[in-house]
């Protein structure tokens, strides 16, 4: 039986490609920190993107992690099995008046931003959503949804932040330094993200919403993930406060870079663990290459 009183860590890859050294680094760090804390290691398969995620990539994740010598609690949580959980959370946010449908395409956003020099980008580099919720009536939004128009469901960040602060106070999280174990408070900056997407017509959740619900459902106490996801924690704090969910401790580790200074990524074809294994690399060598 799993001891839910023990610290819980998780590795949460997406099966939309093969794992690379950057994934190995994150998985191995989670394992090492869980072991040091006398905790549990859980695995989550983040497959909400049904168009890009494939069973063969999920199978490869299990194969790669087993080859590296990792062990985790079974069964792994697969996000595509839990859309109802995310829908319930989305419904609670909608009942608070914090969710609205938007119909602007990427092209519409690009054109709107082009006419506004100096318009801000979010921490991921995308333009902050430039259209005001008040620019369309709720009745018109409902009519377009009923007519089958493509839409995204967005979080009204200004209203959400006001309600979150009212219920939880000023938002921030405890960032734990991996080397020293010391924690410091990081002040959240959700406004930098603007009205983030929580779901789409054809995808019933988003990374932000799903990860917050999953961490709570799995009892995750320590989130150890790449530094590129650190800014997203601000959005997660807002959602946790609104949904009454606990906030884990966070550690955002440094990223592995390629020879051109880019972070390792599936999208740029970074060498996979499967290829390294085929070329004769050992798990110990991969640990070394991953900085462990």
């Amino acid at each position: 039986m799993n001891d839910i009183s023990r610290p819980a860590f998780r590795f949460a890859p997406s099966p939309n490609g093969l794992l690379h050294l950057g994934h190995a680094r994150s998985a191995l760090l989670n394992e090492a920190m869980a072991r040091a804390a006398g905790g549990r290691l859980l695995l989550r398969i983040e497959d909400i993107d049904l168009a890009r995620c494939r069973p063969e990539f999920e199978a490869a994740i299990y194969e790669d992690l087993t080859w590296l010598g990792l062990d985790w609690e079974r069964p792994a949580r697969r996000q595509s099995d839990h859309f109802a959980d995310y829908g319930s959370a989305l419904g609670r946010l909608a009942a608070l008046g914090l969710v609205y449908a938007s119909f602007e395409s990427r092209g519409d956003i690009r054109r709107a931003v082009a006419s506004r020099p100096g318009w801000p980008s979010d921490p991921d580099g995308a333009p902050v959503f430039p259209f005001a919720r008040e620019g369309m009536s709720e009745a018109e939004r409902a009519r377009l949804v009923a007519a089958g128009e493509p839409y995204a469901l967005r979080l009204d960040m200004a209203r959400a932040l006001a309600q979150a602060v009212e219920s939880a106070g000023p938002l921030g999280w405890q960032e734990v330094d991996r080397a020293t174990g010391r924690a410091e408070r990081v002040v959240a900056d959700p406004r930098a993200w603007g009205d983030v997407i929580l779901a789409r017509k054809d995808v019933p959740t988003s990374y932000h919403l799903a990860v917050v619900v999953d961490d709570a459902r799995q009892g995750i106490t320590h989130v150890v993930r790449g530094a590129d996801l650190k800014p997203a924690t601000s959005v997660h704090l807002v959602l946790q406060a609104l949904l009454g969910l606990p906030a884990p401790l966070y550690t955002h580790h440094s990223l592995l870079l390629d020879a051109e200074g880019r972070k390792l990524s599936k999208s740029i074809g970074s060498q996979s663990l499967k290829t390294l294994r085929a070329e004769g690399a050992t798990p110990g060598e991969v640990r070394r290459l991953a900085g462990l």
Side-chain angles (χ1 to χ4, degrees):
M1 182 178 296
N2 296 331
D3 181 1
I4 60 173
S5 68
R6 295 162 58 204
F9 296 70
R10 49 75 163 175
F11 176 56
S14 295
N16 56 9
L18 297 172
L19 299 186
H20 51 64
L21 279 172
H23 297 110
R25 177 173 175 77
S26 193
L28 291 167
L29 282 172
N30 272 280
E31 179 214 33
M33 293 179 70
R35 186 172 61 250
R40 308 154 57 209
L41 178 63
L42 286 75
L43 178 64
R44 179 159 74 230
I45 303 299
E46 298 197 337
D47 62 344
I48 59 174
D49 187 346
L50 299 179
R52 297 176 59 211
C53 294
R54 301 178 187 173
E56 59 266 32
F57 291 141
E58 182 177 342
I61 288 171
Y62 302 134
E63 182 179 357
D64 286 339
L65 298 182
T66 300
W67 175 72
L68 285 173
L70 272 68
D71 193 18
W72 60 91
E73 293 185 4
R74 271 68 169 182
R77 180 179 173 94
R78 183 183 293 108
Q79 286 184 329
S80 60
D81 293 336
H82 299 280
F83 285 139
D85 290 345
Y86 315 135
S88 175
L90 186 63
R92 291 175 61 190
L93 296 172
L96 294 172
L98 303 177
V99 179
Y100 67 96
S102 68
F103 304 89
E104 295 82 4
S105 67
R106 289 186 177 90
D108 294 331
I109 294 172
R110 188 167 54 250
R111 286 186 290 273
V113 170
S115 66
R116 305 180 193 182
W119 187 259
S121 295
D122 69 25
D124 279 346
V128 171
F129 188 63
F131 299 97
R133 178 178 183 176
E134 294 74 19
M136 181 183 294
S137 70
E138 295 304 312
E140 178 64 6
R141 294 184 195 279
R143 186 190 70 78
L144 292 173
V145 169
E149 293 294 324
Y151 63 86
L153 293 175
R154 292 183 179 271
L155 180 69
D156 185 329
M157 185 60 79
R159 296 184 191 181
L161 183 54
Q163 290 194 30
V165 170
E166 183 179 356
S167 63
L171 299 182
W173 72 89
Q174 294 297 311
E175 181 78 18
V176 179
D177 183 272
R178 182 172 64 91
T180 66
R182 290 195 294 267
E184 67 174 359
R185 179 178 169 83
V186 178
V187 176
D189 184 20
R191 291 185 186 277
W193 290 92
D195 291 359
V196 294
I197 292 175
L198 297 179
R200 296 183 184 275
K201 176 184 178 182
D202 54 345
V203 182
T205 188
S206 68
Y207 165 75
H208 294 304
L209 183 60
V211 74
V212 164
V213 171
D214 287 337
D215 284 342
R217 290 274 181 163
Q218 291 189 285
I220 301 302
T221 59
H222 296 68
V223 171
V224 180
R225 58 189 180 189
D228 54 333
L229 291 172
K230 187 174 182 178
T233 312
S234 290
V235 177
H236 302 167
L237 265 288
V238 172
L239 296 175
Q240 288 160 358
L242 293 170
L243 295 169
L245 303 177
L249 299 173
Y250 290 89
T251 296
H252 293 93
H253 61 76
S254 59
L255 304 176
L256 294 179
L257 306 178
D258 65 14
E260 298 178 25
R262 302 173 299 178
K263 73 173 183 177
L264 301 186
S265 169
K266 298 169 186 173
S267 62
I268 63 172
S270 297
Q271 188 177 42
S272 68
L273 298 182
K274 181 177 182 179
T275 297
L276 284 168
R277 185 164 66 249
E279 292 177 351
T282 67
E285 289 169 336
V286 168
R287 286 176 178 266
R288 177 181 58 79
L289 292 169
L292 283 88

